[in-house]
Amino acid sequence: MKQLLFGVAFLCGLASCDEHPRKPENRVVPETTANESEEGDKSRKNKNGETDCNDASFSGVNRGNCKTSIVKSRPEQFGTLEEFMSGLPDDDVMWSEAGISTDENDKRSSEEMRNITIAQCWILAIKRNNDGDYHIIIGSGPDPKCDALFNIEVSGLPESSSPDYAALKKVRDDLENYFSGDCCFTRYKKFYKNPIAVRVTGSLFYDIEHAPPHLNIGPTGLKTTTAWELHPVTAITFL
């Protein structure tokens, strides 16, 4: 029996008995699970050790240029979140074939070269990430148990010399003004009882850090099931 078990273990070592497919050679993805906790990431601190929510600049690295630039195309119009999501390429296809890496200067894939408008959806949760982005979980309906959940991100700001700086600053200001400037949500703030109806527009983005099997953006009870995002959001209208 010991010899049999040893033989099985040896063959698994040769054939790679991983639960998930081997990562393609052109992918550079952190080995740690990209998992968002209920508390969220550690926020940036000012010199007094306090959470610095006045710094609106983007401080991330992975695919940073994509996250702070707007696709140059006319927005495609979708009435509902389900309608939009039904036409997205499969996550397994994006992971294995799109050629996306985490490099700061990585360019958008052909599948990501789209702007999207969703006529009506609901904000169910929001968090200010430590890189300056606002993570917003939207739903296809006002009920947290709605049929579709999706992550959109109001980006931290690029350098003021960026051609997209003014547009990204406006949507960030619109969001913060809606909450009367009280947007320092370093934990997810949920809107179970008072979901917020919005119309959103943004550039399509595939977050390779959350590719299969780590499709887990959002707080407990509001986890997304895809690594697709709108990032950056380029317009948000509160209905």
Side-chain angles (χ1 to χ4, degrees), residues 87-161:
L88 288 173
D90 187 78
D91 280 273
D92 289 330
V93 172
M94 292 299 298
W95 167 246
S96 62
E97 299 179 14
I100 298 172
S101 81
T102 57
D103 186 87
E104 181 178 10
N105 297 312
D106 188 53
K107 298 183 183 301
R108 275 187 163 86
S109 67
S110 59
E111 295 89 347
E112 296 172 296
M113 297 298 290
R114 301 166 62 191
N115 284 321
I116 303 296
T117 294
I118 302 170
Q120 187 173 37
C121 52
W122 282 262
I123 294 177
L124 298 177
I126 183 173
K127 181 191 77 169
R128 191 185 195 280
N129 203 36
N130 69 328
D131 60 5
D133 291 346
Y134 286 105
H135 287 205
I136 303 173
I137 304 300
I138 59 172
S140 57
D143 190 323
K145 296 180 180 179
C146 58
D147 292 335
L149 298 171
F150 196 75
N151 181 50
I152 64 174
E153 302 202 19
V154 172
S155 180
L157 298 179
E159 297 290 334
S160 58
S161 58

Side-chain angles (χ1 to χ4, degrees), residues 163-178:
D164 295 322
Y165 176 85
L168 295 180
K169 184 177 187 304
K170 182 182 185 306
V171 69
R172 192 177 179 92
D173 289 346
D174 289 344
L175 177 71
E176 293 178 346
N177 288 339
Y178 178 83

Side-chain angles (χ1 to χ4, degrees), residues 3-18:
Q3 289 179 331
L4 177 60
L5 291 175
F6 175 81
V8 171
F10 176 76
L11 289 174
C12 278
L14 290 177
S16 181
C17 293
D18 294 337

Side-chain angles (χ1 to χ4, degrees), residues 173-207:
D173 289 346
D174 289 344
L175 177 71
E176 293 178 346
N177 288 339
Y178 178 83
F179 290 103
S180 302
D182 186 16
C183 265
C184 200
F185 306 128
T186 55
R187 296 167 60 100
Y188 269 106
K189 180 176 177 62
K190 302 175 186 177
F191 301 96
Y192 284 166
K193 295 182 178 180
N194 55 341
I196 303 167
V198 291
R199 178 171 63 251
V200 296
T201 299
S203 294
L204 196 57
F205 178 80
Y206 191 79
D207 191 347

